[in-house]
Amino acid sequence: MHNADKITTIEGLGTEDKLHPMQEAFVKYDGFQCGYCTPGQIMSAISCINEGHANSDAEIQEYMSGNVCRCGAYNNITAAINEVKKRGEPL
């Protein structure tokens, strides 16, 4: 259940011409592999920052632990989240 007026999905983040900062970071750090889990990883990564759970690699990894990626891109995903958090841009 969700009590928000608006729910954003991966399709609502960026455009072909202007990716969302988290999408850019996932591309830069090769944080995606087969693509099956990538949308959920990106959406959770944004929430990780927005909800204040990106203060260390260990905290990011714990918060993101519910998203299982069989491809093993976890270190790259952590790097992408750290970069976007450091930018300080609104997500």
Side-chain angles (χ1 to χ4, degrees):
M1 294 179 60
H2 198 284
N3 293 326
D5 293 331
K6 179 182 175 186
I7 296 176
T8 303
T9 65
I10 193 74
E11 293 84 5
L13 287 183
T15 66
E16 290 182 33
D17 298 328
K18 177 84 171 116
L19 294 177
H20 182 279
M22 190 63 72
Q23 291 171 313
E24 288 177 347
F26 265 62
V27 170
K28 178 179 179 180
Y29 288 95
D30 197 23
F32 58 93
Q33 298 292 324
C34 67
Y36 182 77
C37 68
T38 303
Q41 294 279 5
I42 290 173
M43 299 307 291
S44 291
I46 293 167
S47 293
C48 180
I49 293 173
N50 286 341
E51 294 175 10
H53 301 291
N55 299 305
S56 69
D57 286 353
E59 187 175 28
I60 291 169
Q61 291 162 0
E62 175 64 27
Y63 186 88
M64 297 292 290
S65 66
N67 292 299
V68 180
C69 173
R70 296 182 65 172
C71 303
Y74 296 114
N75 291 333
N76 302 8
I77 291 167
T78 301
I81 294 169
N82 277 318
E83 177 173 304
V84 174
K85 182 176 190 255
K86 288 177 187 171
R87 290 184 197 171
E89 299 172 4
L91 302 177

